[in-house]
């Protein structure tokens, strides 16, 4: 989806239907507390760049103008990443948590009214066709899962690698089933136990191949990532879950996109 976008139209048209949630025995009290919170809305921006001064110009704007202003507007923490392994390089991905869809829609006006943002961001905001800030910009909207309604920032700032994965499903029904597997069916618990540490899980509200879901994991390095994915794949509980009729990959997924990201020095995630 190209930017700028009609945020009010997205606000009116985004599908926010509920999903049937099975009860989970493990961590029931913690899940109940999480479910009571309103799930965040995630805006994922992908700035497509060309080699040259674009990257420095964008970094200066994000670090010195956009992130401080977006935090003042109630967004965050805000993650900024570059593609280490995957398509769309060079590019910069910006993950912006919004409290609600209304806050997503209101952000441009809040930024325009923030004089600190306008002044600090002037070199980027006033870019000309001969010196653009970026080549193009894609935006995806997501809604956090009910039982993981907030971004989980890696503890201690030790994470140096992030994995962004999107699962596509053949229908709304199978898409909801895959969400339930994560949200209340035990898959997230298996992830955590086997070292697949989540940053967020979300239902995609916009995209080219809906229905789909997207999640982000974090690891200290590639070797740990590979080892922990092997541990997950051989986990007995996972093997039982994925073999359950109605929950197998051929029944509820049609494909997976996957990219490896590195955080910028000023990323808040």
């Amino acid at each position: 989806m190209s930017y700028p976008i009609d945020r009010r139209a997205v606000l009116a048209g985004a599908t926010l239907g509920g999903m049937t949630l099975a009860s989970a025995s493990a961590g029931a009290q913690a899940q109940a507390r999480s479910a009571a919170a309103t799930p965040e809305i995630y805006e994922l921006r992908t700035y497509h760049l060309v080699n040259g001064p674009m990257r420095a110009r964008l970094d200066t704007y994000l670090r010195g103008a956009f992130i401080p202003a977006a935090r003042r507007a109630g967004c965050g923490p805000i993650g900024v990443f570059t593609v280490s392994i995957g398509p769309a390089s060079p590019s910069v991905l910006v993950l912006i948590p919004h409290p609600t869809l209304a806050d997503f829609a209101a952000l441009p006006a809040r930024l325009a009214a923030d004089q600190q943002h306008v002044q600090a961001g002037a070199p980027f905001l006033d870019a000309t066709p001969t010196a653009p800030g970026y080549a193009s910009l894609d935006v995806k909207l997501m809604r956090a899962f009910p039982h993981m309604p907030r971004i989980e920032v890696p503890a201690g700032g030790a994470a140096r690698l992030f994995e962004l994965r999107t699962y596509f499903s053949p229908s709304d029904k199978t898409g909801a089933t895959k969400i339930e597997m994560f949200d209340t069916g035990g898959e997230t618990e298996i992830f955590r136990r086997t070292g697949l540490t989540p940053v967020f899980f979300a239902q995609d509200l916009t995209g080219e191949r809906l229905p789909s879901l997207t999640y982000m994991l974090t690891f200290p390095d590639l070797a740990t990532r590979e080892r922990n994915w092997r541990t997950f794949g051989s986990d007995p509980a996972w093997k039982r879950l994925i073999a359950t009729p109605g929950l197998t990959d051929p029944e509820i997924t049609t494909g997976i996109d996957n990219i490896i990201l590195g955080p910028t020095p000023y990323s808040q995630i």
Side-chain angles (χ1 to χ4, degrees):
M1 177 172 58
S2 297
Y3 198 83
I5 60 176
D6 187 341
R7 293 170 174 247
R8 299 291 178 182
V10 172
L11 176 61
T15 301
L16 293 176
M19 60 189 75
T20 302
L21 301 175
S23 61
S25 56
Q29 292 183 349
Q31 284 195 343
R33 288 193 297 270
S34 295
T38 301
E40 292 179 313
I41 297 297
Y42 301 134
E43 177 184 0
L44 182 63
R45 300 184 180 185
T46 301
Y47 289 89
H48 299 279
L49 309 176
V50 296
N51 291 326
M54 278 187 182
R55 173 65 192 277
R57 193 178 298 130
L58 178 61
D59 281 338
T60 298
Y61 168 68
L62 293 173
R63 181 178 57 247
F66 176 78
I67 290 178
R71 294 308 302 265
R72 289 192 292 271
C75 303
I78 296 170
V80 184
F81 313 92
T82 58
V83 177
S84 299
I85 303 174
S89 183
S91 61
V92 172
L93 281 70
V94 183
L95 178 64
I96 309 164
H98 299 271
T100 66
L101 268 173
D103 291 296
F104 159 77
L107 182 60
R110 291 170 179 168
L111 294 178
D114 186 327
Q115 290 305 305
Q116 288 179 263
H117 170 259
V118 172
Q119 293 173 9
F124 182 87
L125 298 172
D126 298 335
T128 65
T130 57
Y134 49 88
S136 64
L137 176 57
D138 299 331
V139 176
K140 182 164 79 170
L141 275 186
M142 303 170 282
R143 180 183 58 175
F145 284 4
H147 290 86
M148 190 174 170
R150 298 287 182 270
I151 287 278
E152 294 187 6
V153 178
R160 295 186 296 276
L161 180 151
F162 293 82
E163 183 169 5
L164 187 70
R165 294 170 68 92
T166 298
Y167 290 14
F168 305 98
S169 295
S171 67
D172 288 338
K173 182 178 180 180
T174 56
T177 298
K178 188 60 185 174
I179 289 174
E180 290 172 6
M181 283 180 66
F182 279 111
D183 199 43
T184 60
E187 190 166 354
T188 299
E189 286 75 12
I190 300 171
F191 267 37
R192 294 184 188 277
R193 178 164 48 78
T194 57
L196 304 182
T197 304
V199 176
F200 74 84
F201 286 97
Q203 177 186 9
D204 294 338
L205 302 180
T206 64
E208 296 180 353
R209 294 175 57 188
L210 298 176
S212 59
L213 66 87
T214 297
Y215 63 86
M216 178 178 278
L217 306 174
T218 184
F219 305 93
D221 50 51
L222 277 173
T224 303
R225 171 192 175 271
E226 294 172 3
R227 182 173 61 251
N228 292 358
W229 269 116
R230 287 195 298 269
T231 301
F232 170 79
S234 61
D235 184 83
W238 166 244
K239 288 184 174 181
R240 288 192 299 270
L241 182 63
I242 198 63
T244 303
L247 302 183
T248 66
D249 279 348
E251 293 176 278
I252 62 175
T253 61
T254 56
I256 300 174
D257 279 353
N258 184 41
I259 58 175
I260 302 299
L261 305 171
T264 64
Y266 57 88
S267 177
Q268 297 179 340
I269 296 174

